[in-house]
């Protein structure tokens, strides 16, 4: 019978790291950003490092005296071996110069142990034939996503010269957008207010059900794609074939049922429109209820194959958080923060659609407010821009402005707020810009 190999660990590296911190008070600064007590294999080493971090966070030098005092306060000094054990750690290390090298060994072995644990859980899923295969695959993926999320991978300080170079590249990429700082939407009035959808921004487009969130997102996606930019869409509500049907109908300028009838008849104009739509650089994932970590992972994979200039998520409240036990507020907070991180990591705008709460319906004034964002105040906090769609005809049958839609830019972190007026064509589910004469008559 073979003996299973022991999990990876390096006690010498753990002792060297702890000793270096005791020897040189500033050594902890080098490792505090990535090393955690959970990375240590030996429990007493983890307790000592936690005491060091506590001292560091109190702006006390984590030396022999302060660390021992903190362990004594936590009633752990004797558990780690007393003052003599801590003194031995400091005596073993001649210099603190190599602390990051040893700390990275600790991190690497901890990740190895976590991978082994995750592999065991995934193996268990393989044997559990009582669950649907889709559930098991999602659970297996979630184990890996959670492991990746625990490892904080960031970027240290960057020289201003590099930042300026990247900024110039961004300007060049959007040179065809005129004076805009980001991608245009195809609606000049809205673009003047928003200055475009900028790299690294989370832009939230919100409305009540049936107002036209998906329709407007598709109009924007089509406009961006027609200008040669690539678009990635996570459609958790609508099937990808239905999205394709809508795009063909937009191309023909017809209602979707009419466009579908023409295609079935083999109408050449409709077939040509279908061919043009097929060439649009748009990629669609229609997996329902995707985990936010799965969204980020799939976005990274597609971005590694080809540059994506705009991500669209339809819609935010349908995405799942990292934990199945989270309530709605925590889940939506995790999703909102995850999409913000995705935008910043890939340096790409993310247009996330969002539902509004029923509070809109209960007011005399039905124009949405930031407090109407459903599920969590973190959406308002995380978003760089928040746009609301308001159509008066949905609340007022006697409206003076049938077919009109107001796009309210209610939040704009780096610019002005305001309102753009568009026309909504219900038959083709398209939003269209108004002429200057039409805008004047509305206002």
């Amino acid at each position: 019978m073979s003996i299973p190999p022991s999990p990876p660990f390096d006690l010498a590296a753990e002792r060297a790291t702890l000793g270096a911190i005791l020897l040189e008070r500033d050594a902890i600064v080098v490792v505090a950003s990535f090393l955690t007590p959970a990375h240590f294999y030996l429990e007493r080493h983890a307790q000592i490092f936690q005491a060091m971090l506590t001292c560091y966070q109190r702006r006390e030098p984590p030396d022999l005296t302060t660390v021992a005092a903190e362990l004594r306060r936590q009633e752990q000094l004797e558990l780690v071996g007393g003052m003599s054990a801590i003194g031995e750690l400091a005596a073993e290390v001649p210099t603190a110069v190599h602390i990051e090298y040893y700390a990275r060994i600790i991190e690497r072995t901890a990740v190895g142990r976590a991978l082994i644990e995750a592999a065991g859980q995934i193996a268990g899923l393989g044997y559990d034939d009582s669950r649907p295969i889709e559930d098991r695959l999602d659970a297996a993926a979630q184990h890996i996503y959670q492991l990746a999320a625990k490892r904080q991978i960031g970027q240290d300080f960057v020289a201003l010269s590099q930042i300026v170079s990247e900024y110039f590249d961004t300007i060049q990429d959007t040179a065809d957008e005129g004076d805009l700082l980001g991608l245009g939407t195809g609606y000049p009035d809205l673009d003047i207010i928003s200055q475009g959808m900028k790299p690294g921004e989370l832009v939230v487009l919100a409305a009540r059900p049936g107002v036209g969130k998906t329709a407007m997102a598709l109009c924007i996606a089509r406009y961006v794609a027609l200008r040669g930019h690539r678009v990635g869409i996570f459609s958790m509500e609508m099937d990808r074939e239905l999205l394709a049907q809508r795009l063909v109908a937009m191309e023909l300028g017809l209602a979707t049922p009419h466009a579908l009838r023409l295609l079935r008849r083999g109408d050449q104009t409709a077939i040509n429109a279908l061919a043009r739509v097929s060439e649009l650089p748009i990629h669609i994932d229609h997996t329902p209820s995707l985990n936010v970590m799965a969204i980020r992972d799939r976005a990274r994979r597609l971005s590694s194959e080809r540059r994506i200039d705009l991500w669209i998520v339809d819609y935010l409240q349908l995405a799942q958080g990292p934990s199945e036990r989270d309530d709605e507020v925590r889940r939506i907070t995790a999703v909102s923060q995850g999409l913000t991180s995705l935008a910043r990591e890939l340096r790409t705008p993310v247009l996330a659609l969002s539902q509004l709460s029923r509070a809109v319906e209960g007011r005399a004034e039905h124009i949405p407010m930031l407090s109407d964002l459903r599920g969590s105040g973190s959406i308002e906090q995380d978003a760089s821009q928040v746009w609301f769609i308001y159509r008066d005809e949905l609340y007022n049958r006697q409206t003076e402005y049938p077919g009109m839609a107001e796009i309210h830019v209610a939040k704009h972190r780096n610019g002005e707020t305001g309102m753009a007026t568009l026309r909504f064509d219900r038959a083709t589910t398209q939003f269209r810009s108004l002429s200057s004469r039409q805008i004047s008559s509305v206002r």
Side-chain angles (χ1 to χ4, degrees):
M1 180 177 177
S2 60
I3 300 175
S6 61
F9 64 91
D10 193 322
L11 297 184
E14 293 186 7
R15 294 178 67 84
T17 300
L18 297 174
I21 294 172
L22 293 170
L23 187 68
E24 174 53 59
R25 63 175 62 181
D26 292 331
I28 194 171
V29 177
V30 179
V31 301
S33 62
F34 67 89
L35 195 63
T36 70
H39 285 131
F40 287 80
Y41 180 74
L42 212 58
E43 179 63 24
R44 64 171 178 268
H45 289 169
Q47 293 169 337
I48 294 172
F49 186 67
Q50 180 60 67
M52 291 173 169
L53 284 177
T54 303
C55 293
Y56 173 62
Q57 290 161 0
R58 287 202 302 253
R59 298 188 179 183
E60 295 178 358
D63 55 27
L64 187 64
T65 303
T66 57
V67 171
E70 177 60 26
L71 287 167
R72 187 178 294 109
R73 190 178 70 83
Q74 296 289 341
E75 298 182 352
Q76 294 178 339
L77 183 57
E78 297 307 316
L79 294 177
V80 302
M83 283 290 293
S84 59
I86 301 175
E88 289 174 4
L89 291 173
E92 288 178 6
V93 182
T95 176
V97 172
H98 305 298
I99 183 172
E100 184 173 4
Y101 171 77
Y102 292 117
R104 291 296 181 186
I105 293 176
I106 298 172
E107 182 194 29
R108 187 173 68 247
T109 56
V111 170
R113 295 194 299 273
L115 281 170
I116 292 170
E117 181 180 356
Q121 293 170 331
I122 292 172
L125 290 169
Y127 288 106
D128 185 5
D129 202 36
S130 64
R131 297 173 60 178
I133 188 169
E134 292 82 5
D135 288 354
R136 288 187 283 165
L137 287 171
D138 287 343
Q142 189 170 333
H143 283 305
I144 300 300
Y145 298 142
Q146 288 176 341
L147 177 58
K150 289 178 182 178
R151 187 167 185 260
Q152 299 296 317
I153 303 175
Q155 187 175 30
D156 273 339
F157 292 101
V158 178
L160 185 58
S161 58
Q162 180 181 338
I163 296 171
V164 170
S165 176
E166 292 174 355
Y167 174 64
F168 183 71
D169 289 342
T170 301
I171 292 175
Q172 293 297 102
D173 289 341
T174 56
D176 60 340
E177 304 293 341
D179 294 331
L180 300 183
L181 300 177
L183 291 175
T185 63
Y187 306 111
D189 277 6
L190 177 58
D191 289 340
I192 289 172
I193 302 169
S194 68
Q195 282 298 293
M197 299 172 289
K198 295 171 274 297
E201 276 194 343
L202 173 62
V203 180
V204 172
L205 174 63
R208 287 291 293 154
V211 176
K213 297 186 296 297
T214 301
M216 185 168 184
L218 269 185
C219 288
I220 292 173
R222 179 171 176 267
Y223 173 82
V224 170
L226 284 171
R227 297 175 78 82
H229 301 292
R230 293 186 180 275
V231 181
I233 301 177
F234 289 99
S235 179
M236 289 173 276
E237 183 177 37
M238 189 174 291
D239 185 86
R240 60 192 176 197
E241 291 185 358
L242 294 176
L243 293 180
Q245 286 179 18
R246 282 201 180 188
L247 287 169
V248 173
M250 288 180 186
E251 186 70 21
L252 288 167
L254 299 173
T256 302
H258 190 185
L260 188 57
R261 284 195 295 269
L262 290 178
L263 285 171
R264 284 174 175 166
R265 293 174 192 166
D267 180 86
Q268 193 57 50
T269 301
I271 296 297
N272 292 341
L274 183 64
R276 290 193 297 273
V277 167
S278 71
E279 295 174 354
L280 291 175
I282 297 176
H283 307 266
I284 300 173
D285 183 321
H286 72 158
T287 309
S289 303
L290 265 180
N291 184 293
V292 67
M293 292 181 181
I295 291 174
R296 293 177 65 179
D297 181 68
R298 295 183 187 193
R300 289 190 195 106
R301 278 187 304 184
L302 185 58
S303 295
S304 68
E305 298 170 5
R306 53 183 65 85
R307 176 181 172 81
I308 301 296
D309 301 291
L310 172 65
W311 292 101
I312 296 176
V313 178
D314 184 12
Y315 57 92
L316 193 148
Q317 281 82 7
L318 288 179
Q320 299 300 309
S323 174
E324 296 178 355
R325 293 187 295 272
D326 286 343
D327 58 23
E328 185 181 34
V329 171
R330 289 184 180 179
R331 176 175 59 82
I332 294 176
T333 296
V335 173
S336 173
Q337 292 173 348
L339 295 180
T340 302
S341 298
L342 174 65
R344 291 176 179 172
E345 177 186 341
L346 299 182
R347 299 299 303 153
T348 307
V350 173
L351 177 63
L353 279 54
S354 176
Q355 292 278 31
L356 294 177
S357 69
R358 294 181 181 273
V360 177
E361 314 289 348
R363 294 195 303 265
E365 180 64 66
H366 298 296
I367 296 175
M369 301 184 296
L370 290 171
S371 58
D372 296 324
L373 287 167
R374 178 182 154 195
S376 174
S378 69
I379 299 176
E380 176 188 349
Q381 177 181 329
D382 295 331
S384 295
Q385 299 192 52
V386 177
W387 305 343
F388 293 129
I389 306 175
Y390 172 72
R391 290 166 51 202
D392 191 61
E393 64 184 354
L394 297 178
Y395 300 99
N396 180 12
R397 292 184 179 181
Q398 308 302 319
T399 181
E400 300 177 28
Y401 314 116
M404 296 300 174
E406 297 175 359
I407 312 301
H408 293 261
V409 179
K411 178 186 177 182
H412 191 185
R413 184 170 289 158
N414 300 305
E416 299 294 324
T417 58
M419 184 192 76
T421 305
L422 307 177
R423 178 177 291 282
F424 180 68
D425 186 340
R426 185 180 301 176
T428 63
T429 64
Q430 280 185 274
F431 288 85
R432 304 180 188 277
S433 293
L434 299 176
S435 67
S436 56
R437 180 180 298 178
Q438 288 174 313
I439 294 172
S440 299
S441 65
V442 171
R443 293 175 180 171

